[in-house]
Short mmCIF file of all heavy atoms in Angstrom, two decimals:
data_model
loop_
_atom_site.label_atom_id
_atom_site.label_comp_id
_atom_site.label_asym_id
_atom_site.label_seq_id
_atom_site.Cartn_x
_atom_site.Cartn_y
_atom_site.Cartn_z
N ARG A 1 47.49 -18.16 -8.28
CA ARG A 1 47.85 -19.30 -7.42
C ARG A 1 47.36 -20.61 -8.02
O ARG A 1 48.07 -21.60 -8.03
CB ARG A 1 47.27 -19.12 -6.02
CG ARG A 1 47.90 -18.03 -5.18
CD ARG A 1 49.33 -18.36 -4.75
NE ARG A 1 49.47 -19.69 -4.20
CZ ARG A 1 49.11 -20.07 -2.98
NH1 ARG A 1 48.60 -19.21 -2.15
NH2 ARG A 1 49.28 -21.32 -2.58
N ILE A 2 46.13 -20.61 -8.54
CA ILE A 2 45.58 -21.82 -9.15
C ILE A 2 46.37 -22.17 -10.41
O ILE A 2 46.74 -23.33 -10.63
CB ILE A 2 44.08 -21.67 -9.44
CG1 ILE A 2 43.32 -21.60 -8.11
CG2 ILE A 2 43.57 -22.81 -10.31
CD1 ILE A 2 41.86 -21.21 -8.25
N ALA A 3 46.64 -21.17 -11.24
CA ALA A 3 47.41 -21.42 -12.46
C ALA A 3 48.81 -21.93 -12.13
O ALA A 3 49.30 -22.87 -12.77
CB ALA A 3 47.50 -20.14 -13.30
N ASP A 4 49.46 -21.33 -11.13
CA ASP A 4 50.79 -21.79 -10.71
C ASP A 4 50.74 -23.22 -10.20
O ASP A 4 51.61 -24.03 -10.51
CB ASP A 4 51.37 -20.87 -9.63
CG ASP A 4 51.80 -19.51 -10.17
OD1 ASP A 4 51.92 -19.37 -11.41
OD2 ASP A 4 52.01 -18.60 -9.35
N ALA A 5 49.72 -23.51 -9.39
CA ALA A 5 49.58 -24.87 -8.86
C ALA A 5 49.33 -25.87 -9.99
O ALA A 5 49.95 -26.93 -10.03
CB ALA A 5 48.45 -24.92 -7.83
N LEU A 6 48.43 -25.52 -10.91
CA LEU A 6 48.16 -26.41 -12.05
C LEU A 6 49.42 -26.64 -12.88
O LEU A 6 49.65 -27.75 -13.37
CB LEU A 6 47.07 -25.83 -12.94
CG LEU A 6 45.63 -26.23 -12.62
CD1 LEU A 6 44.65 -25.43 -13.46
CD2 LEU A 6 45.40 -27.71 -12.80
N ALA A 7 50.24 -25.60 -13.02
CA ALA A 7 51.47 -25.72 -13.81
C ALA A 7 52.46 -26.69 -13.16
O ALA A 7 53.30 -27.27 -13.85
CB ALA A 7 52.11 -24.36 -13.99
N GLN A 8 52.35 -26.90 -11.84
CA GLN A 8 53.26 -27.79 -11.14
C GLN A 8 52.80 -29.25 -11.18
O GLN A 8 53.56 -30.14 -10.83
CB GLN A 8 53.41 -27.34 -9.68
CG GLN A 8 54.11 -26.00 -9.56
CD GLN A 8 54.19 -25.54 -8.11
OE1 GLN A 8 54.67 -26.28 -7.27
NE2 GLN A 8 53.72 -24.34 -7.85
N VAL A 9 51.57 -29.45 -11.61
CA VAL A 9 51.04 -30.81 -11.73
C VAL A 9 51.56 -31.40 -13.03
O VAL A 9 51.54 -30.74 -14.07
CB VAL A 9 49.48 -30.77 -11.71
CG1 VAL A 9 48.90 -32.14 -11.97
CG2 VAL A 9 48.98 -30.20 -10.38
N PRO A 10 52.06 -32.64 -13.00
CA PRO A 10 52.56 -33.25 -14.25
C PRO A 10 51.53 -33.18 -15.37
O PRO A 10 50.32 -33.29 -15.13
CB PRO A 10 52.84 -34.71 -13.83
CG PRO A 10 53.11 -34.62 -12.35
CD PRO A 10 52.20 -33.53 -11.85
N ASP A 11 52.01 -33.02 -16.60
CA ASP A 11 51.14 -32.82 -17.76
C ASP A 11 50.01 -33.84 -17.86
O ASP A 11 48.87 -33.48 -18.11
CB ASP A 11 51.95 -32.86 -19.07
CG ASP A 11 52.84 -31.64 -19.24
OD1 ASP A 11 52.69 -30.67 -18.48
OD2 ASP A 11 53.68 -31.67 -20.17
N ALA A 12 50.32 -35.10 -17.70
CA ALA A 12 49.30 -36.15 -17.86
C ALA A 12 48.19 -35.99 -16.83
O ALA A 12 47.00 -36.10 -17.15
CB ALA A 12 49.93 -37.54 -17.73
N TYR A 13 48.55 -35.70 -15.57
CA TYR A 13 47.55 -35.51 -14.51
C TYR A 13 46.75 -34.24 -14.77
O TYR A 13 45.54 -34.20 -14.59
CB TYR A 13 48.20 -35.41 -13.13
CG TYR A 13 48.98 -36.62 -12.69
CD1 TYR A 13 49.83 -36.54 -11.60
CD2 TYR A 13 48.89 -37.85 -13.33
CE1 TYR A 13 50.55 -37.63 -11.15
CE2 TYR A 13 49.62 -38.95 -12.91
CZ TYR A 13 50.44 -38.83 -11.81
OH TYR A 13 51.15 -39.91 -11.37
N ARG A 14 47.47 -33.17 -15.17
CA ARG A 14 46.81 -31.89 -15.41
C ARG A 14 45.79 -32.01 -16.54
O ARG A 14 44.66 -31.55 -16.41
CB ARG A 14 47.83 -30.80 -15.73
CG ARG A 14 47.17 -29.43 -15.99
CD ARG A 14 48.15 -28.29 -16.19
NE ARG A 14 49.10 -28.54 -17.24
CZ ARG A 14 50.42 -28.62 -17.05
NH1 ARG A 14 50.95 -28.48 -15.87
NH2 ARG A 14 51.22 -28.84 -18.08
N ALA A 15 46.17 -32.63 -17.64
CA ALA A 15 45.25 -32.76 -18.78
C ALA A 15 44.01 -33.55 -18.38
O ALA A 15 42.89 -33.16 -18.73
CB ALA A 15 45.96 -33.44 -19.94
N THR A 16 44.17 -34.61 -17.64
CA THR A 16 43.03 -35.42 -17.20
C THR A 16 42.15 -34.62 -16.25
O THR A 16 40.92 -34.60 -16.38
CB THR A 16 43.54 -36.71 -16.52
OG1 THR A 16 44.40 -37.40 -17.42
CG2 THR A 16 42.38 -37.62 -16.14
N PHE A 17 42.76 -33.92 -15.30
CA PHE A 17 42.03 -33.11 -14.33
C PHE A 17 41.25 -31.99 -15.04
O PHE A 17 40.08 -31.75 -14.74
CB PHE A 17 43.02 -32.52 -13.32
CG PHE A 17 42.39 -31.64 -12.29
CD1 PHE A 17 41.78 -32.19 -11.18
CD2 PHE A 17 42.41 -30.26 -12.41
CE1 PHE A 17 41.19 -31.37 -10.21
CE2 PHE A 17 41.83 -29.44 -11.46
CZ PHE A 17 41.22 -30.00 -10.35
N VAL A 18 41.89 -31.33 -15.99
CA VAL A 18 41.25 -30.24 -16.72
C VAL A 18 40.05 -30.74 -17.52
O VAL A 18 39.00 -30.09 -17.54
CB VAL A 18 42.27 -29.51 -17.62
CG1 VAL A 18 41.60 -28.62 -18.64
CG2 VAL A 18 43.24 -28.69 -16.76
N LEU A 19 40.19 -31.88 -18.16
CA LEU A 19 39.06 -32.43 -18.91
C LEU A 19 37.88 -32.72 -17.98
O LEU A 19 36.73 -32.51 -18.36
CB LEU A 19 39.47 -33.71 -19.64
CG LEU A 19 40.37 -33.52 -20.86
CD1 LEU A 19 40.91 -34.86 -21.35
CD2 LEU A 19 39.64 -32.80 -21.97
N ARG A 20 38.15 -33.15 -16.76
CA ARG A 20 37.07 -33.45 -15.82
C ARG A 20 36.46 -32.18 -15.25
O ARG A 20 35.25 -31.99 -15.27
CB ARG A 20 37.60 -34.33 -14.68
CG ARG A 20 36.58 -34.62 -13.61
CD ARG A 20 35.49 -35.51 -14.13
NE ARG A 20 34.49 -35.71 -13.10
CZ ARG A 20 33.20 -35.76 -13.34
NH1 ARG A 20 32.75 -35.67 -14.56
NH2 ARG A 20 32.36 -35.92 -12.36
N VAL A 21 37.29 -31.30 -14.73
CA VAL A 21 36.80 -30.13 -14.00
C VAL A 21 36.33 -29.01 -14.93
O VAL A 21 35.27 -28.45 -14.75
CB VAL A 21 37.87 -29.61 -13.02
CG1 VAL A 21 37.44 -28.31 -12.36
CG2 VAL A 21 38.16 -30.67 -11.96
N TYR A 22 37.13 -28.69 -15.93
CA TYR A 22 36.79 -27.57 -16.80
C TYR A 22 36.09 -28.00 -18.08
O TYR A 22 35.34 -27.22 -18.66
CB TYR A 22 38.05 -26.75 -17.12
CG TYR A 22 38.66 -26.17 -15.87
CD1 TYR A 22 39.77 -26.74 -15.29
CD2 TYR A 22 38.09 -25.06 -15.25
CE1 TYR A 22 40.32 -26.23 -14.13
CE2 TYR A 22 38.63 -24.54 -14.10
CZ TYR A 22 39.74 -25.12 -13.53
OH TYR A 22 40.28 -24.61 -12.38
N GLY A 23 36.35 -29.22 -18.53
CA GLY A 23 35.68 -29.74 -19.72
C GLY A 23 34.38 -30.44 -19.37
O GLY A 23 33.58 -30.74 -20.24
N ASP A 24 34.19 -30.75 -18.08
CA ASP A 24 32.97 -31.40 -17.58
C ASP A 24 32.72 -32.73 -18.28
O ASP A 24 31.57 -33.10 -18.53
CB ASP A 24 31.77 -30.46 -17.72
CG ASP A 24 30.61 -30.88 -16.85
OD1 ASP A 24 30.85 -31.46 -15.77
OD2 ASP A 24 29.45 -30.64 -17.25
N LEU A 25 33.77 -33.46 -18.59
CA LEU A 25 33.64 -34.77 -19.21
C LEU A 25 33.51 -35.85 -18.14
O LEU A 25 34.07 -35.71 -17.04
CB LEU A 25 34.86 -35.09 -20.08
CG LEU A 25 34.80 -34.67 -21.54
CD1 LEU A 25 34.77 -33.18 -21.69
CD2 LEU A 25 35.96 -35.26 -22.30
N SER A 26 32.81 -36.90 -18.46
CA SER A 26 32.71 -38.04 -17.55
C SER A 26 34.04 -38.79 -17.57
O SER A 26 34.86 -38.62 -18.48
CB SER A 26 31.59 -38.97 -17.99
OG SER A 26 31.95 -39.63 -19.20
N TYR A 27 34.25 -39.65 -16.58
CA TYR A 27 35.47 -40.44 -16.54
C TYR A 27 35.58 -41.30 -17.80
O TYR A 27 36.67 -41.45 -18.36
CB TYR A 27 35.49 -41.33 -15.30
CG TYR A 27 35.84 -40.59 -14.01
CD1 TYR A 27 35.45 -39.27 -13.79
CD2 TYR A 27 36.56 -41.21 -13.02
CE1 TYR A 27 35.76 -38.60 -12.63
CE2 TYR A 27 36.88 -40.55 -11.83
CZ TYR A 27 36.48 -39.25 -11.65
OH TYR A 27 36.81 -38.60 -10.50
N ALA A 28 34.46 -41.87 -18.24
CA ALA A 28 34.47 -42.71 -19.44
C ALA A 28 34.86 -41.89 -20.67
O ALA A 28 35.63 -42.35 -21.52
CB ALA A 28 33.11 -43.37 -19.64
N ASP A 29 34.34 -40.68 -20.78
CA ASP A 29 34.68 -39.82 -21.91
C ASP A 29 36.16 -39.44 -21.89
O ASP A 29 36.82 -39.39 -22.92
CB ASP A 29 33.82 -38.56 -21.92
CG ASP A 29 32.39 -38.82 -22.35
OD1 ASP A 29 32.12 -39.89 -22.92
OD2 ASP A 29 31.53 -37.95 -22.09
N ILE A 30 36.68 -39.17 -20.69
CA ILE A 30 38.10 -38.82 -20.57
C ILE A 30 38.96 -40.00 -21.00
O ILE A 30 39.94 -39.83 -21.73
CB ILE A 30 38.45 -38.38 -19.13
CG1 ILE A 30 37.72 -37.08 -18.78
CG2 ILE A 30 39.96 -38.22 -18.96
CD1 ILE A 30 37.76 -36.71 -17.31
N ALA A 31 38.57 -41.20 -20.57
CA ALA A 31 39.32 -42.40 -20.97
C ALA A 31 39.35 -42.52 -22.49
O ALA A 31 40.39 -42.82 -23.09
CB ALA A 31 38.69 -43.64 -20.34
N GLU A 32 38.21 -42.24 -23.11
CA GLU A 32 38.13 -42.31 -24.57
C GLU A 32 38.96 -41.21 -25.23
O GLU A 32 39.71 -41.46 -26.18
CB GLU A 32 36.66 -42.19 -24.99
CG GLU A 32 36.44 -42.43 -26.45
CD GLU A 32 34.96 -42.41 -26.82
OE1 GLU A 32 34.11 -42.70 -25.96
OE2 GLU A 32 34.67 -42.08 -27.98
N VAL A 33 38.86 -39.99 -24.71
CA VAL A 33 39.59 -38.86 -25.27
C VAL A 33 41.09 -39.10 -25.20
O VAL A 33 41.82 -38.83 -26.15
CB VAL A 33 39.23 -37.55 -24.52
CG1 VAL A 33 40.24 -36.46 -24.79
CG2 VAL A 33 37.85 -37.08 -24.91
N GLN A 34 41.56 -39.60 -24.06
CA GLN A 34 42.99 -39.75 -23.87
C GLN A 34 43.52 -41.12 -24.28
O GLN A 34 44.73 -41.34 -24.28
CB GLN A 34 43.36 -39.46 -22.41
CG GLN A 34 43.14 -38.01 -22.06
CD GLN A 34 43.71 -37.66 -20.70
OE1 GLN A 34 43.64 -38.44 -19.76
NE2 GLN A 34 44.29 -36.48 -20.61
N GLY A 35 42.63 -42.03 -24.60
CA GLY A 35 43.05 -43.36 -25.00
C GLY A 35 43.69 -44.15 -23.86
O GLY A 35 44.67 -44.87 -24.06
#
């Protein structure tokens, strides 16, 4: 269910969310990673 739900989230939102929740990156680090 979680994987299906994540797959329905647009790529840009999903990548940012994954970096925060599963990558444990700070918002500043995510901004840097994604430019």
Side-chain angles (χ1 to χ4, degrees):
R1 290 291 312 283
I2 292 170
D4 288 345
L6 270 172
Q8 293 178 53
V9 174
D11 289 349
Y13 298 167
R14 180 175 55 243
T16 305
F17 179 81
V18 165
L19 287 170
R20 176 68 183 141
V21 174
Y22 298 102
D24 198 31
L25 269 66
S26 70
Y27 283 34
D29 287 344
I30 295 168
E32 188 176 334
V33 163
Q34 293 189 322

